[in-house]
Amino acid sequence: MSRLPRSFVTGLSLVIVGFAMSVADGIRAPSFAQNVKLDAALSNSWWGHVPIMVAIDKGYFKELGIDVEVKSIASSADRVRAITSGAAAFSNLGRIAVISEMANDNKSFYFFANVDDSPGNEGCWAKPGFASFKDLKGRKVAANTSAQITMNGLLENDGMVEKDVQFVNLPGGEMAGALARGDVDAACVWEPLFTNVKNAAPGGKLLGLDSDTPNFKKFGTMASPDIMIISRKLVDENPDLARKVATAIFKGVKYTNESPEDTAATVAHYFRQDPQVVLAAMKQFKYFGADNWPDHMKLHTGQMEYLSKWLVDNGKISKMPDVKTWENLSFIPK
């Protein structure tokens, strides 16, 4: 057996001595090249999470010393709870859930970015025989969460308010069946469920999209766009780690916009869909990264204030939170 070089033996001896000293001092010796592990609360049915998923699979987090595991959580409200409980470190989710937690004074998180939006992918569809919301006065219209905001905006366009129809709060997945059975006369929901609603009432009428509402005219966004949140404890205690999280996410956005075909192929396994299906869905979205992010966030913070007031005025939350106290952009890479 060949002898080991003296330099290797000397180096190994120093490592052993160092390890022994750390154990003797009661300190757990760290393993070499050990990455920080963080969980991301995402949904495998929402295309807005594509940039984060591609950042994970392309190794953008790992090259910054972070191992990220996706925790698939369908509900935005449950994703907030995952951050609050410490089960996940960051998430991308509907801001109604975020604002609701703000109204409950949940200070376990900050919001810091908007990376996706898809105006025009949410709307209201009526069964045959109804040409406008005016024709639906006193009739049953189903909606929930952001689609209810879209419904109210479209009602406003016709000089109406929610009380002018019989509002039915239905889960999105139940709307197509309710419309097909005639339990409701119109339904408002987002894609891909909106396509199911239209197929359930062939020959029906498009009453309008979220891109037709006053909210869109004011902010250029869908009714309740996604917002990125991150553990407040993580940011306060380790802002450099938070900066690395944001850096990897923005790099994922850049790759998504520059290489959509490969992105779709890379993340298709999360959605259990063919890459071409993912690519077609991605084309209905806009993805936002580091470019012009200060102005972009000013727009979205303003939209969150607007939405907070709507939620208070419509009895969805008990008080209007000061959303800016949850905003933290200090760790965003300049």
Side-chain angles (χ1 to χ4, degrees):
M1 183 175 71
S2 61
R3 297 179 61 187
L4 296 172
R6 179 180 297 274
S7 60
F8 179 87
V9 174
T10 302
L12 180 62
S13 299
L14 289 173
V15 170
I16 294 172
V17 170
F19 178 82
M21 289 176 65
S22 68
V23 172
D25 290 340
I27 302 171
R28 183 172 59 87
S31 61
F32 296 107
Q34 183 177 23
N35 285 355
V36 176
K37 293 185 177 180
L38 299 177
D39 289 337
L42 304 176
S43 169
N44 58 8
S45 63
W46 182 239
W47 314 113
H49 296 166
V50 164
I52 306 165
M53 292 168 170
V54 80
I56 295 169
D57 284 22
K58 288 294 181 182
Y60 299 155
F61 289 97
K62 187 162 290 187
E63 66 190 18
L64 295 174
I66 308 170
D67 287 332
V68 175
E69 181 179 344
V70 172
K71 298 296 185 184
S72 183
I73 303 174
S75 160
S76 288
D78 287 340
R79 293 202 286 277
V80 178
R81 295 186 187 104
I83 304 299
T84 300
S85 70
F90 63 95
S91 184
N92 188 36
L93 65 163
R95 63 189 58 185
I96 288 179
V98 172
I99 294 170
S100 297
E101 290 299 314
M102 291 177 179
N104 291 329
D105 207 32
N106 182 347
K107 294 181 178 176
S108 67
F109 60 87
Y110 293 118
F111 73 87
F112 68 96
N114 163 261
V115 298
D116 73 282
D117 203 353
S118 55
N121 282 272
E122 181 173 278
C124 298
W125 184 263
K127 66 184 185 181
F130 299 94
S132 70
F133 267 109
K134 289 182 179 178
D135 295 336
L136 286 161
K137 189 169 185 177
R139 308 303 291 255
K140 292 181 179 179
V141 181
N144 68 22
T145 59
S146 63
Q148 187 179 353
I149 302 169
T150 293
M151 179 190 76
N152 281 25
L154 295 173
L155 283 166
E156 184 180 337
N157 289 346
D158 279 351
M160 300 170 67
V161 295
E162 188 176 296
K163 291 181 179 179
D164 290 327
V165 297
Q166 292 186 55
F167 170 63
V168 180
N169 192 337
L170 274 183
E174 296 180 14
M175 291 187 188
L179 195 62
R181 292 190 302 270
D183 295 341
V184 297
D185 300 299
C188 306
V189 73
W190 51 88
E191 290 289 9
L193 299 177
F194 192 39
T195 294
N196 296 341
V197 163
K198 290 186 283 188
N199 291 339
K205 174 72 175 179
L206 175 65
L207 301 173
L209 302 172
D210 57 354
S211 53
D212 299 316
T213 65
N215 177 75
F216 179 81
K217 292 171 185 175
K218 185 175 179 65
F219 297 104
T221 70
M222 61 190 300
S224 178
D226 285 342
I227 198 76
M228 291 282 323
I229 66 171
I230 189 169
S231 163
R232 186 178 292 235
K233 178 179 171 65
L234 186 156
V235 174
D236 291 348
E237 295 183 359
N238 198 337
D240 185 57
L241 179 59
R243 185 173 296 107
K244 290 177 179 178
V245 169
T247 298
I249 291 170
F250 283 173
K251 190 171 181 179
V253 172
K254 187 172 188 293
Y255 190 83
T256 298
N257 288 330
E258 291 179 351
S259 305
E261 291 84 3
D262 186 61
T263 295
T266 300
V267 304
H269 69 97
Y270 287 106
F271 303 99
R272 298 179 182 177
Q273 294 280 2
D274 184 87
Q276 291 305 311
V277 173
V278 178
L279 182 62
M282 287 168 53
K283 289 179 179 179
Q284 304 302 313
F285 275 69
K286 297 178 181 179
Y287 298 107
F288 307 96
D291 295 342
N292 201 34
W293 70 262
D295 288 340
H296 185 68
M297 282 311 297
K298 285 180 184 177
L299 174 77
H300 280 271
T301 300
Q303 201 274 351
M304 289 183 73
E305 292 174 325
Y306 172 93
L307 184 54
S308 295
K309 185 177 186 305
W310 186 93
L311 291 169
V312 170
D313 290 346
N314 287 271
K316 304 300 180 184
I317 57 177
S318 59
K319 63 179 181 180
M320 182 173 171
D322 180 2
V323 301
K324 288 184 178 179
T325 63
W326 275 267
E327 180 186 59
N328 190 332
L329 309 180
S330 65
F331 60 92
I332 304 298
K334 302 296 190 289

